[in-house]
Amino acid sequence: MKTITTTEDLAQFCEQARVFPYVTIDTEFLRERTYYSKLCLIQMAMPGETEENAVLIDPIAGDLSLEPLYDLFRDTNVVKVFHAARQDLEIFFCEAGVIPDPLFDTQVAAMVCGFGEQVGYETLVRKIAKDSVDKSSRFTDWSRRPLSDAQKKYAIGDVTHLRQIYEFLAAKLEKSGRNGWVREELQVLTTPDTYRVDPENAWQRVKTRTQTPKFLAIVRELARFREGYAQSRNIPRNRVYKDDAMIELASTKPRSINDLGKSRLLLREARKGEIAEGILRAITAGLECPQDQMPRPDKSREKLQVNPALADLLRVLLKAKTESSGVASKLIASAADLDALAAGERDIRALSGWRREVFGEDALRLCEGKVALAAKGTTVKIVPIA
């Protein structure tokens, strides 16, 4: 198999790829010690049945610019095929601000085509390509050089099998008329905001039982400082301090270096220097936050008056729709969606787009008492009510 280490060779390969309707792509990266993923290897394959049309692109060895690849990403005549693309796309967006267009994610397509929820690549290789994947190199250090033959074989397999999987799923979507469903699902992956982490909003990812505005104001400032510090130094946010330490700090409200030393959960490195100073500034800012600028928890769902019997009926309906449509239930509606429906909410994802066609219309009719559910053998039937 060929390994590309120069910009010239990469440009030549990408130029050849432009004559094909699609290319398959995967990456190997490390993120244990950094905030942003460290790109270690890119695998690509043009259509074909052997490894001749597949290459490894090494961004570590040699002097290599990825601009020819990014030009290919912008070429709307070539579909860029990934499996579970989220992390791969984040790397390319953070590196160059580019998102492949058009994009096809075989994991998303497989859920629409009836392969279950978040189906793994190995499962699709087994069921569609009738082959297996050697997993022995999955957790190796992809930043070390030279790469072993086992690593190369594993890496290239991630894009050669993907060709057959893509062609199978694309044909099935075309036959079922569900291409639009997949495009709708991919909108999240093709939106730049998906890959931007704003320190201002970092507190919303922190799970806490205490919901008072003052407490949340301190959490917001601590999360903001941690995110900004981690981004600027390219280190994992948990290397600054973990969520449980943040909750402890918001509860104890230390005001001095001596107070920080009494923390049970704070890392030793965070009790001095820039991190300690940042923590104390954040706590002060949270305590001094004006009342009208304090964050307010979203309690709208807490006020929902869920009809438990109706919620159970909706779950039965969802299961029936999942079986008849072959689409993963989690993709159609979440448990929260069903509870919201049973409480009278109508501004939910399950009532828009293709989901409304598959599930939402009948769900509304069930909520309005226009249909009932009846068991017939092993299936559930929808019965109109006169």
Side-chain angles (χ1 to χ4, degrees):
M1 66 194 73
K2 181 177 181 180
T3 300
I4 291 176
T5 58
T6 68
T7 307
E8 181 181 358
D9 286 347
L10 178 59
Q12 183 179 359
F13 177 83
C14 291
E15 194 60 34
Q16 293 172 348
R18 291 180 191 275
V19 305
F20 292 98
Y22 73 87
V23 292
T24 57
I25 307 163
D26 190 37
T27 68
E28 304 299 339
F29 57 87
L30 296 178
R31 198 172 188 170
E32 289 79 6
R33 301 182 183 89
T34 57
Y35 183 92
Y36 299 103
S37 296
K38 176 181 174 60
L39 182 61
C40 299
L41 192 69
I42 304 168
Q43 307 95 278
M44 290 183 65
M46 297 180 284
E49 297 181 356
T50 67
E51 293 182 359
E52 290 181 6
N53 281 2
V55 296
L56 302 177
I57 302 166
D58 193 338
I60 294 178
D63 183 19
L64 175 68
S65 167
L66 293 179
E67 194 54 41
L69 175 62
Y70 299 145
D71 282 341
L72 181 62
F73 282 177
R74 300 182 187 102
D75 188 338
T76 56
N77 294 314
V78 183
V79 178
K80 274 64 73 171
V81 181
F82 294 79
H83 180 81
R86 171 71 183 260
Q87 288 185 300
D88 300 315
L89 300 184
E90 182 180 4
I91 292 172
F92 295 126
F93 181 78
C94 292
E95 289 274 344
V98 63
I99 296 176
D101 178 34
L103 171 73
F104 190 96
D105 189 322
T106 54
Q107 186 177 71
V108 174
M111 287 194 286
V112 171
C113 290
F115 284 87
E117 298 171 1
Q118 295 183 325
V119 60
Y121 181 67
E122 294 84 0
T123 300
L124 294 182
V125 171
R126 186 176 66 253
K127 291 186 175 182
I128 297 175
K130 308 302 180 185
D131 207 338
S132 61
V133 176
D134 179 6
K135 303 177 183 179
S136 61
S137 296
R138 172 179 291 181
F139 299 111
T140 56
D141 185 348
W142 291 98
S143 67
R144 298 188 67 176
R145 294 296 183 270
L147 295 173
S148 68
D149 290 341
Q151 284 178 304
K152 292 179 180 180
K153 182 179 179 181
Y154 169 86
I156 210 71
D158 279 349
V159 288
T160 52
H161 292 309
L162 195 55
R163 299 178 294 197
Q164 190 173 348
I165 293 170
Y166 166 69
E167 291 176 4
F168 176 90
L169 293 174
K172 192 165 185 177
L173 290 169
E174 187 67 31
K175 184 177 180 180
S176 64
R178 294 181 177 180
N179 277 312
W181 297 14
V182 173
R183 284 194 295 270
E184 188 176 327
E185 291 308 296
L186 292 179
Q187 287 178 3
V188 173
L189 292 177
T190 56
T191 300
D193 285 346
T194 299
Y195 310 105
R196 295 189 181 110
V197 181
D198 185 352
E200 293 288 332
N201 301 321
W203 69 278
Q204 296 175 353
R205 295 196 309 270
V206 181
K207 295 180 180 179
T208 172
R209 294 179 180 178
T210 305
Q211 296 288 295
T212 63
K214 179 67 74 175
F215 181 86
L216 291 178
I218 299 174
V219 169
R220 180 179 63 187
E221 297 303 323
L222 286 168
R224 187 208 320 250
F225 165 72
R226 180 180 70 173
E227 204 72 25
Y229 188 91
Q231 288 178 352
S232 65
R233 287 156 179 80
N234 194 24
I235 59 174
R237 60 177 68 90
N238 283 346
R239 286 271 300 276
V240 185
Y241 43 81
K242 298 182 180 180
D243 283 3
D244 56 358
M246 186 187 303
I247 301 305
E248 180 194 37
L249 292 169
S251 300
T252 58
K253 307 175 186 62
R255 304 302 299 272
S256 67
I257 296 294
N258 184 55
D259 291 340
L260 286 180
K262 301 174 184 177
S263 170
R264 291 188 306 111
L265 302 174
L266 198 61
L267 297 171
R268 183 180 303 173
E269 295 79 5
R271 303 181 187 205
K272 57 186 178 181
E274 289 183 304
I275 297 179
E277 293 171 3
I279 289 173
L280 296 177
R281 286 196 303 270
I283 291 172
T284 299
L287 290 171
E288 296 178 354
C289 179
Q291 192 75 22
D292 61 347
Q293 296 178 23
M294 290 183 180
R296 305 289 172 178
D298 181 8
K299 296 184 178 181
S300 58
R301 287 297 172 97
E302 295 179 9
K303 299 176 183 178
L304 292 179
Q305 298 298 313
V306 178
N307 181 332
L310 179 55
D312 287 341
L313 286 174
L314 287 168
R315 282 168 172 77
V316 174
L317 176 65
L318 177 60
K319 189 174 189 303
K321 291 294 186 178
T322 297
E323 292 174 352
S324 63
S325 67
V327 180
S329 61
K330 188 179 292 185
L331 196 63
I332 299 174
S334 65
D337 287 338
L338 300 182
D339 287 341
L341 262 174
E345 292 287 309
R346 296 297 180 260
D347 184 20
I348 60 174
R349 192 175 65 158
L351 297 182
S352 63
W354 65 267
R355 292 177 176 82
R356 188 179 185 99
E357 174 188 342
V358 173
F359 170 75
E361 288 289 356
D362 283 331
L364 287 174
R365 293 167 66 202
L366 182 63
C367 291
E368 294 164 2
K370 296 179 179 179
V371 297
L373 302 179
K376 185 176 182 180
T378 60
T379 62
V380 173
K381 298 290 186 182
I382 299 173
V383 181
I385 297 175

